[in-house]
Amino acid sequence: MPLPSTAAPRRCHRTVVLGIVAGVLLSGCSSFGYRPVQPYEREALASPLMALSRDPISDKHLQHVFETREGARGATGNTGGGCGCN
Amino acid sequence: MMNTPRTAAFRNRCQRLLETAISRASVWAPMLLVLVPSQRAAAAALPEERGDTLFHIYDGGGQTVLGPAVLVRKNFAEKFSLSAGYYVDEISGASIDVVTNASPYHEERREAGVGGQYLYRDTLLGFNYTNSIENDFKASTFDFSISQDFFNNTTTLSLGYSKGNDKITRVDSPEFSATANRANYSVSVTQVINPTLLGTLSYELSADDGYLQNPYRSARVLGAALPEIYPGTRTGQAFATKLVKSWSSRFSTRIEGRYYRDTWGIKAFNVGIGASWYVYRNWILDGGYRFYSQKAATFYSDNFQRPQNFLARDKELATYQDHTVNAKLTVPLITQKHGFLNHVDAGVSFEYLLLDYKNFTDLRNGKPYSFGAAIGQFFLTAYY
């Protein structure tokens, strides 16, 4: 009689863990007793100091500087063509 | 009721189905929970109406790049937002490539762009078109994005697609002409984690094909200069994350990171930290540090020992690290409503970038190349 494979339970376990982690990340832990942040609790988040990009034109220029001098690109929210580096 | 073999088999089958359902539910339930909002989400919002003007200057590595930039945005009927931008790079000097391969030059890059956004309940649809022109390089890019807010605006999911077309020519060879196509697919999630912590996760896939190299640059094979030869395709993946934390009403910090790899063999990452605080009334001071590290492309060499299919000696494809420190001060000029203006801010920023190449030799002295660059920005922003 063949021994039961351990690969399938391990795969299942990994999938369960990944599913829970994805759920926690996407839900802000709402399904684990975490209370979502209410609109009246967002005073700090509305501050200019918390903006992901407070000055878009300034950030775009700096991203352009990095993109023309580094091999990596992407995932910065910046699109547009041209190089200025020939 | 009699327990016949048929009912026992039925019961066993039901039990197996239930066990399977529970097993699968343990995987999908948390994900399903996040797809079903617990409350009606509040409405998303259009970007702020503002006009930005910027003057930028870059000085380093023998090159000077400077010019103005403008970006204005106007909203209509609380549903539509239109933006237009213009950006100029005046480039002069001689980078290390030019010093060792050609003569110094002067050129200008002009980029113009328009964009629009449409807000429907918690969904924001956006598009942008930019067109960039240099004397030997033309690029046009169209991008489309869609963002959806979930869970009372605590989670924003964004999807993006952009398509670009480049036309490459040579100023010293009118008959030379080549094209390249660029496509980018992106997904990002921004999450309000708690009342003082905001996080974002991003992924972007880029797929380029065509003429992806610089027509002027040369590779070195046993010390002799030969034209570079790049592969005709390049696919890259970037994963990025950022966390912003408020410690008080006047102080916040941020941490960010990105990992990148592509089919050319480049592997790179950058990490950064920063802080922002109100130093005096509404004066905002930002400071930060960024570190970047890169492993060279597989077809890069400072000096090839034999010819091969692909040859590159572009220092941006080498193994190197760079460090950036930055400081920015934003000062409110007008704080009360004047006519159509709500308020006006002025700012100045300074960055110092230090690049240290591991396998790119400065042919003038035979040592590994390194250089520093100073980047300055002066900007004025009007909110209306």
Side-chain angles (χ1 to χ4, degrees):
Chain A
M1 185 178 164
L3 289 171
S5 166
T6 56
R10 204 178 297 141
R11 222 172 19 241
C12 178
H13 177 73
R14 197 185 306 152
T15 314
V16 170
V17 171
L18 281 175
I20 290 170
V21 169
V24 169
L25 285 176
L26 288 173
S27 70
C29 307
S30 61
S31 56
F32 295 88
Y34 178 86
R35 191 171 62 86
V37 177
Q38 301 300 308
Y40 57 82
E41 295 177 307
R42 295 181 196 170
E43 187 182 351
L45 298 170
S47 166
L49 302 186
M50 290 294 285
L52 291 170
S53 175
R54 198 170 72 238
D55 297 304
I57 197 168
S58 162
D59 291 345
K60 181 178 177 179
H61 170 245
L62 290 175
Q63 286 304 327
H64 180 68
V65 170
F66 289 131
E67 280 174 14
T68 53
R69 281 153 192 87
E70 296 176 344
R73 64 252 168 90
T76 59
N78 187 28
T79 58
C83 178
C85 52
N86 272 356
Chain B
M1 187 178 166
M2 285 184 65
N3 194 6
T4 63
R6 196 173 169 185
T7 53
F10 179 73
R11 194 186 302 150
N12 287 340
R13 195 175 160 208
C14 287
Q15 196 173 345
R16 278 201 306 275
L17 280 172
L18 187 63
E19 282 170 359
T20 308
I22 289 170
S23 165
R24 288 183 181 171
S26 66
V27 178
W28 294 108
M31 301 184 83
L32 286 174
L33 280 171
V34 306
L35 295 174
V36 182
S38 55
Q39 311 173 28
R40 171 74 180 88
L46 288 171
E48 202 168 18
E49 288 184 308
R50 58 191 279 180
D52 292 85
T53 56
L54 172 84
F55 183 80
H56 59 88
I57 181 165
Y58 168 96
D59 187 23
Q63 270 189 317
T64 302
V65 184
L66 53 86
V70 181
L71 179 66
V72 291
R73 178 176 291 282
K74 179 69 182 165
N75 299 343
F76 302 92
E78 298 182 349
K79 278 189 176 298
F80 300 95
S81 180
L82 292 178
S83 63
Y86 190 65
Y87 180 101
V88 177
D89 277 335
E90 291 278 353
I91 305 146
S92 58
S95 69
I96 184 71
D97 301 313
V98 173
V99 166
T100 51
N101 284 314
S103 56
Y105 60 92
H106 176 92
E107 69 174 1
E108 186 178 76
R109 184 176 83 89
R110 293 178 179 270
E111 181 185 305
V114 292
Q117 284 176 307
Y118 172 63
L119 177 69
Y120 178 74
R121 296 188 178 176
D122 300 320
T123 307
L124 199 58
L125 297 167
F127 77 89
N128 281 287
Y129 175 77
T130 57
N131 191 40
S132 169
I133 296 176
E134 293 165 63
N135 56 359
D136 54 3
F137 196 100
K138 291 179 182 170
S140 60
T141 308
F142 177 83
D143 71 76
F144 173 78
S145 64
I146 180 167
S147 297
Q148 174 71 44
D149 283 356
F150 298 99
F151 316 119
N152 214 15
N153 272 9
T154 54
T155 304
T156 304
L157 175 67
S158 303
L159 303 172
Y161 169 73
S162 76
K163 176 75 180 161
N165 297 102
D166 299 346
K167 185 178 179 189
I168 305 105
T169 54
R170 284 185 68 131
V171 290
D172 57 353
S173 178
E175 68 277 8
F176 176 83
S177 178
T179 58
N181 304 303
R182 305 180 189 278
N184 295 68
Y185 307 84
S186 64
V187 57
S188 71
V189 176
T190 302
Q191 176 71 47
V192 174
I193 299 166
N194 67 37
T196 60
L197 185 62
L198 191 64
T200 179
L201 278 173
S202 308
Y203 169 76
E204 185 166 331
L205 175 73
S206 56
D208 303 342
D209 66 81
Y211 189 82
L212 304 177
Q213 66 193 72
N214 183 316
Y216 302 103
R217 194 176 289 119
S218 298
R220 281 200 307 157
V221 181
L222 295 171
L226 286 180
E228 286 188 319
I229 309 169
Y230 282 24
T233 60
R234 182 185 187 185
T235 303
Q237 297 183 82
F239 308 84
T241 185
K242 184 187 274 190
L243 283 172
V244 189
K245 167 75 177 170
S246 171
W247 297 96
S248 76
S249 61
R250 302 188 67 80
F251 182 68
S252 74
T253 56
R254 62 194 62 217
I255 182 167
E256 61 189 354
R258 180 179 65 166
Y259 174 73
Y260 173 83
R261 67 180 182 193
D262 65 26
T263 51
W264 285 4
I266 293 175
K267 289 181 180 173
F269 73 90
N270 58 271
V271 291
I273 53 170
S276 305
W277 62 99
Y278 285 110
V279 285
Y280 171 73
R281 294 189 176 174
N282 287 331
W283 294 30
I284 300 176
L285 181 64
D286 300 280
Y289 168 75
R290 178 182 184 272
F291 172 74
Y292 175 84
S293 180
Q294 176 176 308
K295 177 181 161 290
T298 50
F299 56 95
Y300 171 88
S301 177
D302 196 26
N303 187 13
F304 288 94
Q305 293 307 301
R306 62 178 185 277
Q308 58 182 57
N309 288 344
F310 300 119
L311 304 166
R313 193 177 175 268
D314 178 357
K315 64 184 186 302
E316 277 79 53
L317 303 185
T319 295
Y320 65 97
Q321 297 176 339
D322 69 55
H323 305 263
T324 311
V325 289
N326 75 285
K328 179 164 84 172
L329 180 67
T330 307
V331 177
L333 285 186
I334 299 174
T335 55
Q336 293 181 334
K337 192 170 172 62
H338 278 265
F340 70 96
L341 290 176
N342 287 333
H343 66 278
V344 176
D345 290 344
V348 57
S349 85
F350 176 78
E351 311 234 343
Y352 187 75
L353 173 64
L354 180 65
L355 298 105
D356 189 15
Y357 297 88
K358 304 296 178 197
N359 57 354
F360 181 85
T361 304
D362 185 342
L363 297 180
R364 297 168 298 187
N365 57 25
K367 294 179 180 173
Y369 184 58
S370 69
F371 75 96
I375 305 156
Q377 294 182 336
F378 307 92
F379 56 91
L380 197 66
T381 304
Y383 299 85
Y384 39 82

